[in-house]
Amino acid sequence: MSQPPRKARPTQSAELAAAYQPGEVEQRRYAQWVAAGHLNADAKSDKPPFAIVIPPPNVTGSLHVGHALDHTIQDSLIRRKRMQGFEALWLPGMDHAGIATQNVVERKLAAEGLSRHDLGREKFVERVWQWKAESGGAILGQMKRLGDSVDWSRERFTMDEGLSRAVQTIFKKLYDDDLIYRAERIINWCPRCLTALSDIEVEHTDDEGELVSIRYSDEIVVATTRAETMLGDTAVAVHPDDERYKHLIGTEVELPLTGRRIPIVGDAHVDPAFGTGCVKVTPAHDPNDFEIGQRHGLPSITMMDERAIITVHGPFQGLDRYEARPAVVAALREQGRIVAEKRPYVHAVGHCSRCKTTVEPRLSLQWFVNTGPLAKAAGDAVRDGRTRIEPAELSKRYFAWVDNMHDWCISRQLWWGHRIPVWYGPDGEVVCVGPDDEIPTGEGWRQDEDVLDTWFSSALWPFSTLGWPEQTADLAKFYPTSVLVTGYDILFFWVARMMMFGLYAMKDKDGRSAVPFETVALHGMVRDQFGKKMSKSFGNVVDPLDWIDRFGADATRFTLARGANPGSDVPVSEEWCQGSRNFCNKLWNATRFALINGAHTDGDLPTELSPIDRWILSRLQHTITEVDGYFEEYEFAKVCDSLFHFAWDDVCDWYVELAKPVLTGDDQAAAERTRRVLGHVLDQLLRLLHPVIPFVTDELWCALVGSGAAERKQGKAEGDTSLMVAAWPAADPALIDDPAEAELETLQRVVTEVRRFRADQGLKPGQRVAAALDGLAGAGIAAHEPLIRFLARLDAPGDGFAATGTVAVAGGVTVSLDTRGSIDVAAERARLTKDRTAAEKEISQATAKLGNEGFLAKAPEQVVAKLRERLATAQADLTRIDAALAQLG
């Protein structure tokens, strides 16, 4: 039975302002979530765990658009799981960012006329901690503005006491297991930062340089982009089977400008088809040359110091590498040894990611991790399914990295970071010290000067942040973590390192190696609306904080999430963010309308429902099912699209409009049923939208449910009501696939076609026109004639009715309208002609782009799809306009 008639509910519009003001709502709502403890996880809870550890942003960083995308996705997952009844932990923290942070503080010292050496190591490190306390970590406050529902009570820093203990523990374990060693190897060296760099800290760009061919003898010509390094040559290599040079292997050649004689060696690394087939070998300044040198027992001559200054005795000593290069070429030219010079010569050059200085390969004594067994374990864990990578096709990139990983240089010549826990004694002793070991004392003992690569401590992040090496309640509850969300660009580096260390250090309850996360969900890079990489030089960089200021955090989040397909780059534009703001406003206005008209969430749904109510409830169940499926597959763009179209099209454009005559009619029982259904639909919709747009949905939902019966049943105190702890919707099989869906679809097509005809005829939206409706009974919508007339602004035909236009709708429905005296034919013809020109122009431009193979090869899939959609729309518009012009005569 339906509920008995009741008096209209009191108006609740005072709870919502006339317009949505994001700034005021966001600040207040976030403070309420924190104060209520909604963000905190409980390790003692009996709820199933769901955990994400945040990819720790640098302490020097600020929120950029990549962070905003990353955090929006993570927050959406956490909020949904929290609503689904999981004990959801999103653990925040920051990385100490060794080089980046040291550079910041050194620049501040330079402004004072000081260097770190003026202060000394201890005082310099104190200054870094002081800077962190005063200026570092600004990004944490910016995360709150975005709406990150992280557990601030568990915030960690890679240099805090607990994580330092974890670093020392695993270093000692690796050292004792012979997986850490010290050796001379070729490493990436930054002459400005004066430290070794990992591969992730080197950015490669195509730079213009020169290729110089140098004659060493009548038969030997070598080519190089770094002529100055010839001063460190200790051999020339040729392929052992190259008939041109086989007879020279084992002989010597004089190295120009030096007077030294160097051997000619045969090595299979040399490609005889490349260049002349002769390669200069500089073991101390090239990784491939170093390997050749090791195979042939060649000496290694370091011909420049740590600042890239030439150290070889002679006329070039003391010159910077870029001063020495032209000087060496000039001297060779003077001797007639330059065979060819090519300028410009574009080639890949590595740069320090922090200061952009060109990296120098350099032979250096460093600490390394033997990655062989660790990398194999990391590969096996993905192959056997313990960790899955989404999308699955990116697994190939992961395997390409872990299956071919070089040993990892982990030492850095910095002062800020985890100092290597190794002490050297006066008689050559070497002692690795764990966190509970006593440090060697006495005269002559000293600690290694280097610190560890920042990525070393970051690799421990999933378990060190949960309390390891102690066996904490957090570790027992939340490890392995559920999912890692990150960009595909650091799949090889950070993800692989966490997999290696997690599998090495952690065990599951059965004593097997435990992965750090069950799923790796990868997203792409944020690009502009045309698919172009964001760059200051292009002027297309998006500042998410600016968008939050102007459009609100929810609009910013929705824009980013709506472009996020697994593993694909994410196009965004300010125009799209404005559209997301309009979407938030649409939700606000719809909910405000509902409250003004007495919509509520008290009690169960009525048992007697109109076809319109059954239709919207069926559409709601479909949407819940779709959204659940998309969330499980990390299809955030599809989550947003499904919710957008249900909210905007089904709820706001149709159900609210269909409900208006019922709410204002004389049938109070029908009006009350509609209020309850409208309240229920908005309640469920706001819950579904909350993970992506948390602020506006929480504000609207709290106004909608108020202190209603449903909340009182749950025993919640007033003020504790929040979507943060509301239940996630579940689809009701009894309400899905209702026959009313087909019925309402026909009604919508009739109204849509009439509205389109009216627009084509230049009729004003509110202008009423007499019309005859035929075929409604055959289409099964005769009962909806009053609604059709209400929505399409159609009056019943009176005396003298004469049809001047007819709209035929599939299903046998025809609508005949009398538009005499309603339009200015000449003005309407002029308007349609102008629209026709615009449609033709759009078709021409879209067709040209889609016919451009270069554009199609570079543009993201979403951009091409949008362009095809625009073309189809313009073609349909052209057909429609031509039909309208024909009807005008």
Side-chain angles (χ1 to χ4, degrees):
M1 286 177 56
S2 63
Q3 294 179 341
R6 54 186 284 174
K7 293 180 180 179
R9 294 173 60 85
T11 296
Q12 301 182 50
S13 59
E15 295 184 26
L16 288 178
Y20 179 44
Q21 301 294 332
E24 185 275 328
V25 170
E26 290 165 6
Q27 186 174 6
R28 171 169 48 81
R29 279 283 157 201
Y30 199 90
Q32 289 172 353
W33 297 337
V34 173
H38 293 328
L39 281 61
N40 297 348
D42 181 3
K44 298 178 182 177
S45 163
D46 58 2
K47 296 178 182 178
F50 184 87
I52 298 177
V53 290
I54 203 165
N58 287 354
V59 66
T60 60
S62 61
L63 190 76
H64 59 63
V65 72
H67 288 133
L69 169 66
D70 208 42
H71 291 200
T72 294
I73 292 173
Q74 292 173 73
D75 197 34
S76 297
L77 292 171
I78 282 289
R79 286 178 182 272
R80 175 171 175 263
K81 288 296 183 180
R82 193 182 284 124
M83 295 173 73
Q84 286 183 311
F86 286 77
E87 195 60 45
L89 168 63
W90 189 14
L91 195 149
M94 291 185 301
D95 191 278
H96 64 279
I99 294 177
T101 305
Q102 180 155 320
N103 282 347
V104 167
V105 178
E106 285 197 78
R107 283 196 295 270
K108 289 186 172 295
L109 287 176
E112 302 171 21
L114 299 171
S115 74
R116 60 177 164 130
H117 301 285
D118 294 325
L119 271 64
R121 185 170 194 142
E122 186 175 340
K123 291 293 184 183
F124 176 77
V125 171
E126 286 178 10
R127 283 290 293 265
V128 180
W129 280 108
Q130 179 185 342
W131 173 84
K132 177 190 178 289
E134 294 173 354
S135 306
I139 193 171
L140 298 180
Q142 295 161 358
M143 287 163 54
K144 295 175 183 178
R145 293 198 60 199
L146 188 65
D148 286 6
S149 61
V150 295
D151 185 345
W152 293 109
S153 70
R154 285 178 166 87
E155 181 188 335
R156 304 304 299 269
F157 180 56
T158 50
M159 287 284 286
D160 68 28
E161 184 177 350
L163 269 68
S164 295
R165 181 175 178 82
V167 167
Q168 292 176 33
T169 299
I170 201 162
F171 187 99
K172 170 73 170 173
K173 180 173 170 57
L174 288 162
Y175 182 89
D176 290 346
D177 288 345
D178 294 326
L179 292 172
I180 281 184
Y181 64 93
R182 196 181 191 215
E184 274 199 324
R185 295 284 187 273
I186 291 286
I187 46 86
N188 303 306
W189 181 266
C190 176
R192 188 262 169 225
C193 296
L194 299 180
T195 182
L197 302 174
S198 65
D199 292 335
I200 188 63
E201 294 165 316
V202 178
E203 296 175 347
H204 288 87
T205 59
D206 288 335
D207 293 0
E208 287 188 358
E210 62 181 9
L211 181 67
V212 180
S213 297
I214 307 167
R215 186 181 301 282
Y216 281 20
S217 71
D218 290 342
E219 295 180 88
I220 299 295
V221 174
V222 302
T224 180
T225 58
R226 300 192 301 154
E228 72 281 4
T229 62
M230 66 163 294
L231 300 173
D233 286 1
T234 57
V236 170
V238 298
H239 194 279
D241 299 328
D242 192 332
E243 294 295 336
R244 294 169 296 174
Y245 307 116
K246 284 177 71 172
H247 66 288
L248 296 176
I249 295 174
T251 66
E252 292 184 339
V253 65
E254 182 176 313
L255 180 64
L257 306 182
T258 67
R260 286 193 290 113
R261 296 192 65 80
I262 58 176
I264 298 173
V265 299
D267 195 279
H269 170 76
V270 179
D271 180 1
F274 184 78
T276 63
C278 300
V279 175
K280 60 188 290 298
V281 181
T282 320
H285 294 278
D286 183 274
N288 293 321
D289 292 5
F290 176 79
E291 297 297 332
I292 293 173
Q294 292 289 294
R295 287 193 288 271
H296 297 279
L298 301 175
S300 296
I301 298 176
T302 299
M303 43 73 59
M304 64 178 78
D305 65 14
E306 67 275 9
R307 296 182 184 276
I309 303 299
I310 305 300
T311 56
V312 176
H313 181 71
F316 311 107
Q317 187 174 12
L319 295 180
D320 173 81
R321 55 183 166 168
Y322 294 120
E323 297 172 328
R325 185 169 301 167
V328 167
V329 172
L332 291 167
R333 189 182 298 112
E334 191 173 316
Q335 291 186 5
R337 291 183 177 273
I338 299 298
V339 176
E341 298 178 68
K342 184 177 181 180
R343 296 188 187 88
Y345 179 75
V346 178
H347 61 125
V349 177
H351 301 268
C352 174
S353 62
R354 300 303 174 191
C355 68
K356 311 308 177 187
T357 300
T358 299
V359 168
E360 192 65 43
R362 187 167 189 264
L363 184 62
S364 181
L365 183 63
Q366 303 285 346
W367 286 94
F368 294 85
V369 170
N370 174 7
T371 59
L374 303 176
K376 182 182 184 303
D380 290 345
V382 173
R383 286 188 169 96
D384 64 26
R386 281 175 287 163
T387 293
R388 69 184 176 109
I389 293 176
E390 289 290 344
E393 55 265 25
L394 289 184
S395 299
K396 296 177 182 177
R397 297 191 188 185
Y398 175 80
F399 294 136
W401 178 253
V402 297
D403 293 347
N404 300 282
M405 190 180 292
H406 297 120
D407 284 359
W408 173 17
C409 176
I410 57 172
S411 46
R412 298 291 179 269
Q413 290 63 55
L414 304 171
W415 287 354
W416 173 244
H418 293 282
R419 195 163 174 184
I420 288 176
V422 171
W423 270 256
Y424 304 105
D427 298 319
E429 304 97 328
V430 179
V431 177
C432 181
V433 177
D436 297 319
D437 298 337
E438 288 194 17
I439 296 172
T441 57
E443 187 176 350
W445 282 93
R446 61 182 179 83
Q447 186 177 0
D448 195 296
E449 294 290 326
D450 291 348
V451 300
L452 288 164
D453 177 10
T454 301
W455 295 92
F456 190 94
S457 50
S458 297
L460 311 180
W461 190 251
F463 52 94
S464 64
T465 53
L466 296 173
W468 187 87
E470 311 305 324
Q471 296 305 306
T472 64
D474 278 357
L475 202 61
K477 178 74 173 180
F478 297 112
Y479 191 91
T481 62
S482 306
V483 61
L484 174 76
V485 177
T486 190
Y488 62 64
D489 54 320
I490 57 173
L491 170 64
F492 318 126
F493 307 108
W494 186 46
V495 177
R497 283 161 167 71
M498 285 189 290
M499 287 287 284
M500 290 193 304
F501 278 10
L503 288 161
Y504 173 71
M506 302 301 296
K507 304 294 180 185
D508 64 18
K509 60 184 179 181
D510 298 321
R512 297 171 302 183
S513 294
V515 295
F517 21 74
E518 295 161 357
T519 301
V520 178
L522 298 170
H523 57 76
M525 311 288 285
V526 182
R527 297 180 179 270
D528 71 12
Q529 67 194 91
F530 305 108
K532 186 180 291 185
K533 182 178 179 180
M534 289 191 177
S535 166
K536 290 181 180 179
S537 61
F538 294 150
N540 63 350
V541 174
V542 168
D543 179 358
L545 298 170
D546 173 56
W547 277 11
I548 291 172
D549 286 338
R550 293 194 289 138
F551 307 121
D554 288 325
T556 302
R557 291 167 61 116
F558 195 77
T559 302
L560 293 166
R562 200 174 182 189
N565 293 294
S568 299
D569 288 341
V570 181
V572 297
S573 76
E574 183 170 310
E575 180 185 353
W576 299 345
C577 197
Q578 290 171 346
S580 297
R581 177 194 57 190
N582 295 343
F583 178 58
C584 294
N585 290 340
K586 188 88 167 178
L587 289 172
W588 185 273
N589 292 335
T591 308
R592 189 167 183 271
F593 164 83
L595 290 172
I596 289 172
N597 286 277
H600 61 91
T601 58
D602 288 346
D604 298 327
L605 282 172
T607 54
E608 292 183 13
L609 295 166
S610 71
I612 296 167
D613 293 334
R614 297 202 315 272
W615 164 74
I616 194 63
L617 290 172
S618 183
R619 290 296 309 126
L620 172 62
Q621 311 317 308
H622 278 294
T623 303
I624 293 171
T625 303
E626 282 180 2
V627 167
D628 276 335
Y630 293 146
F631 259 117
E632 294 304 317
E633 297 300 320
Y634 304 97
E635 295 273 9
F636 297 98
K638 292 181 180 178
V639 166
C640 293
D641 268 347
S642 179
L643 289 171
F644 176 88
H645 288 297
F646 175 69
W648 194 294
D649 301 340
D650 293 341
V651 177
C652 297
D653 282 358
W654 285 106
Y655 186 70
V656 167
E657 293 303 311
L658 291 164
K660 284 179 179 178
V662 182
L663 293 170
T664 57
D666 295 330
D667 188 339
Q668 288 301 309
E672 176 54 27
R673 288 194 296 269
T674 298
R675 293 187 189 102
R676 181 64 189 92
V677 172
L678 179 56
H680 173 77
V681 169
L682 287 173
D683 167 29
Q684 298 291 287
L685 172 60
L686 293 171
R687 292 175 194 242
L688 290 169
L689 281 165
H690 178 72
V692 182
I693 50 173
F695 291 110
V696 68
T697 52
D698 204 31
E699 185 79 357
L700 293 174
W701 189 80
C702 289
L704 180 68
V705 303
S707 55
E711 295 305 306
R712 287 197 299 274
K713 278 183 189 176
Q714 296 176 30
K716 293 181 180 177
E718 190 169 351
D720 194 33
T721 301
S722 173
L723 274 175
M724 288 279 293
V725 289
W728 181 254
D732 184 346
L735 296 175
I736 201 167
D737 290 329
D738 194 284
E741 284 209 55
E743 187 177 328
L744 265 291
E745 183 181 343
T746 303
L747 180 152
Q748 289 172 328
R749 286 162 63 191
V750 171
V751 172
T752 300
E753 289 302 319
V754 172
R755 285 174 171 174
R756 180 176 292 122
F757 177 83
R758 289 173 56 101
D760 288 344
Q761 296 300 311
L763 292 169
K764 295 178 181 178
Q767 187 175 0
R768 302 195 69 83
V769 179
L773 280 63
D774 298 306
L776 296 183
I781 57 173
H784 298 303
E785 181 172 344
L787 274 176
I788 293 172
R789 291 190 178 278
F790 171 77
L791 294 171
R793 303 293 190 268
L794 302 177
D795 289 333
D799 294 339
F801 174 83
T804 58
T806 300
V807 180
V809 182
V813 176
T814 57
V815 181
S816 304
L817 299 91
D818 184 352
T819 61
R820 292 174 301 170
S822 300
I823 59 173
D824 181 335
V825 175
E828 184 57 18
R829 184 179 290 110
R831 184 186 71 81
L832 288 170
T833 300
K834 182 178 178 182
D835 290 348
R836 191 182 194 284
T837 301
E840 286 182 322
K841 182 179 179 181
E842 178 74 8
I843 291 170
S844 175
Q845 291 177 341
T847 302
K849 278 192 175 181
L850 291 171
N852 184 333
E853 294 297 331
F855 169 79
L856 293 176
K858 294 179 180 179
E861 183 180 337
Q862 304 98 308
V863 173
V864 175
K866 191 78 174 176
L867 194 58
R868 290 197 174 108
E869 183 182 327
R870 282 171 48 196
L871 176 60
T873 300
Q875 289 170 333
D877 285 345
L878 188 62
T879 301
R880 175 179 53 79
I881 292 167
D882 284 344
L885 284 168
Q887 286 214 341
L888 287 176

